[in-house]
């Protein structure tokens, strides 16, 4: 539904160049909720603005619903009209709502329809229908200043839906809201996704948002996508940074000669018997440093951080045992784990 290939954006200001996007290939499937996460300055907002051509990419292409928007962004006025039309099929929701304070709620929602030249009667019908959809049927005549943050964002969402978009883009749309309001807005986005078949591309810096509603996610760093996939693919990827952030388990090694291991299991798999079996088989004491069960993308996932006595080299066999039981095992010690773990996998071939 949304595809970017080699998307690059270089800002030039006061003789300085900033590469905000550095060859981003993104693929959002029809009907999914796709989350892009990353720290401030990673290029998330630039990406979303390039997707609807509010920002013109330096190079690369953007295709939305089969239409190459970058080709439409050429100078010709005919193409300009086509681009405006294509853009009206892409809704956008902002962090700070961007409502006009002098207009009523209803008239804020009608604004994009006015621009599209829709008649007054039809605009009103559409605005009231959308207000009903976002649960604000009684607020048509209110002004933005009379609404709570969550209500303002509902208006922002209704306005974004005015052009019957296929795609909704959301840039930190819940970042200005308290946790409970955030949950209700995420639920609304999920409902719209399911009821209207709306494809949603959302930008966030909150892992909780990804956990609650995303089918797929990507992690951006320094203008690049460094990890991406469906949430279950991500959780099943050994060493995935996104997986660790989506599903953190605390706990530090209790001493230098210890091996800390994260065990991830999906569904109902019980780790407890496996851990005691491991302990008995190899006659080792295992400490549980942390454990959590959670629902990620609608599926039960568990993670347990355990500590084994001895350095990694001494635990190659017990770790192999855990993997043989079908558990996903990541050695958490960052200093030595990566190369040592790679060696283990090499040896297992
Ligand atoms: N209009 C602009 N002019 C110059 N530099 C910009 C502009 N917008 C963003 N940048 C720079 O591009 C990089 C990515 O910014 P942004 O896309 O806003 O990241 P994020 O949304 O992930 O915080 C940052 O280094 C930022 O300073
Ligand atoms: Mg941003």
């Amino acid at each position: 539904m949304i595809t970017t290939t080699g998307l690059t954006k270089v800002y030039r200001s006061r003789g300085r160049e900033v590469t905000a996007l550095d060859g981003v290939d993104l693929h959002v499937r029809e009907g999914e909720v796709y989350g892009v996460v990353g720290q401030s300055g990673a290029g998330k907002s630039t990406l979303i603005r390039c997707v609807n051509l509010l920002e013109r990419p330096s190079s690369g292409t953007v295709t939305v619903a089969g239409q190459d928007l970058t080709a439409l962004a050429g100078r010709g006025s005919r193409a300009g009209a086509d681009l405006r039309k294509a853009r009206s099929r892409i809704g956008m929701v902002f962090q700070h709502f961007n409502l006009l304070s002098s207009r009523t709620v209803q008239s804020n929602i009608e604004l994009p329809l006015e621009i599209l030249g829709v008649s007054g009667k039809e605009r009103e019908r559409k605005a009231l229908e959308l207000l009903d959809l976002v649960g604000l049927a009684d607020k048509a005549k209110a002004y933005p200043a009379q609404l709570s943050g969550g209500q303002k964002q509902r208006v922002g969402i209704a306005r974004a839906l005015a052009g019957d978009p296929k795609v909704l883009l959301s840039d930190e749309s819940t970042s200005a809201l308290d946790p409970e309001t955030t949950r209700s807005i995420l639920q609304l986005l999920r409902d719209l996704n399911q009821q209207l078949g709306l494809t949603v591309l959302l930008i966030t810096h909150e892992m909780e948002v990804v956990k609650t509603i995303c089918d797929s996610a990507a992690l951006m760093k320094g203008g690049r996508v460094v990890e991406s996939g469906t949430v279950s693919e991500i959780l099943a990827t050994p060493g995935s940074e996104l997986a660790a952030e989506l599903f953190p388990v605390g706990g530090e090694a209790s001493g230098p000669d210890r091996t800390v291991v994260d065990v991830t299991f999906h569904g109902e798999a019980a780790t407890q018997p496996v851990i005691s079996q491991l302990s008995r088989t190899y006659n080792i004491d295992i400490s549980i440093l942390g454990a959590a069960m959670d629902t990620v993308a609608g599926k039960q996932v568990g993670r347990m951080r355990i500590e084994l006595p001895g350095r990694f080299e001494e635990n190659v066999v017990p770790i192999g045992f855990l993997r043989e039981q079908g558990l996903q095992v990541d050695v958490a010690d960052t200093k030595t784990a990566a190369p040592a773990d790679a060696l283990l996998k090499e040896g297992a071939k």
Side-chain angles (χ1 to χ4, degrees):
M1 185 49 112
I2 303 173
T3 302
T4 74
T5 47
L7 201 61
T8 302
K9 176 70 188 180
V10 181
Y11 290 110
R12 291 186 178 80
S13 63
R14 289 190 234 104
R16 248 172 30 93
E17 284 197 353
V18 178
T19 304
L21 295 180
D22 188 8
V24 171
D25 297 324
L26 195 75
H27 184 63
V28 181
R29 282 175 294 201
E30 181 165 6
E32 76 175 340
V33 179
Y34 196 108
V36 177
V37 295
Q39 291 186 337
S40 177
K44 308 181 297 295
S45 295
T46 304
L47 173 63
I48 217 163
R49 290 198 300 265
C50 281
V51 165
N52 67 0
L53 269 294
L54 280 174
E55 197 95 68
R56 190 179 292 239
S58 305
S59 62
T61 60
V62 176
T63 306
V64 177
Q67 201 163 26
D68 183 346
L69 299 187
T70 25
L72 293 180
R75 300 265 139 118
S77 63
R78 174 89 189 85
D82 286 345
L83 178 61
R84 274 195 298 282
K85 204 159 141 228
R87 206 185 262 145
S88 74
R89 309 281 284 165
I90 305 175
M92 177 116 180
V93 188
F94 305 89
Q95 178 177 0
H96 297 294
F97 325 124
N98 297 16
L99 302 178
L100 296 177
S101 58
S102 61
R103 283 180 164 237
T104 62
V105 162
Q106 180 184 335
S107 130
N108 264 285
I109 299 171
E110 287 188 22
L111 183 60
L113 297 171
E114 278 175 49
I115 294 167
L116 287 174
V118 176
S119 77
K121 245 197 154 53
E122 175 57 18
R123 288 201 309 262
E124 171 160 23
R125 190 197 61 74
K126 187 76 194 174
L128 296 179
E129 176 193 309
L130 288 169
L131 274 172
D132 196 36
L133 188 65
V134 299
L136 288 181
D138 56 335
K139 298 289 185 201
K141 299 291 175 237
Y143 284 87
Q146 298 168 306
L147 304 180
S148 69
Q151 290 171 330
K152 282 182 201 161
Q153 196 53 294
R154 283 172 190 268
V155 178
I157 292 169
R159 180 188 53 193
L161 297 176
D164 290 323
K166 290 260 169 252
V167 168
L168 189 68
L169 308 179
S170 153
D171 190 355
E172 302 276 7
S173 66
T174 60
S175 297
L177 306 174
D178 62 73
E180 201 179 319
T181 312
T182 292
R183 272 193 291 280
S184 79
I185 293 293
L186 292 179
Q187 187 59 49
L188 174 62
L189 290 177
R190 191 35 131 183
D191 290 347
L192 295 171
N193 159 255
Q194 283 168 354
Q195 283 170 27
L196 310 176
L198 200 62
T199 304
V200 180
L201 173 61
L202 64 84
I203 302 293
T204 182
H205 63 275
E206 297 165 295
M207 287 295 161
E208 205 53 41
V209 173
V210 176
K211 242 182 188 162
T212 314
I213 63 163
C214 291
D215 301 300
S216 298
L219 171 64
M220 281 190 80
K221 268 188 191 177
R224 294 175 156 272
V225 169
V226 295
E227 280 186 32
S228 65
T230 65
V231 173
S232 16
E233 279 165 5
I234 289 166
L235 287 174
T237 305
S240 159
E241 195 177 317
L242 250 181
E245 289 201 38
L246 272 173
F247 207 146
V249 273
E252 296 281 309
S254 61
D257 278 349
R258 299 279 192 280
T259 303
V260 175
V261 173
D262 286 339
V263 182
T264 306
F265 52 101
H266 301 264
E268 304 288 287
T271 47
Q272 209 65 46
V274 179
I275 302 294
S276 61
Q277 212 180 347
L278 175 71
S279 173
R280 267 183 281 124
T281 308
Y282 297 99
N283 194 25
I284 47 178
D285 289 326
I286 297 165
S287 320
I288 294 174
L289 301 175
M293 284 292 289
D294 205 343
T295 306
V296 180
K299 295 203 184 78
Q300 278 272 306
V301 182
R303 193 168 254 193
M304 187 181 280
R305 174 165 283 194
I306 59 175
E307 184 184 70
L308 310 173
R311 283 169 316 180
F312 174 78
E313 293 76 13
E314 299 161 63
N315 284 301
V316 167
V317 173
I319 289 171
F321 170 86
L322 288 174
R323 290 204 170 116
E324 274 166 27
Q325 310 304 308
L327 296 171
Q328 182 188 323
V329 181
D330 289 306
V331 179
D333 183 351
T334 47
K335 272 192 232 74
T336 58
D341 204 26
L343 268 179
L344 175 68
K345 277 174 205 152
E346 201 55 39
K349 274 183 196 159

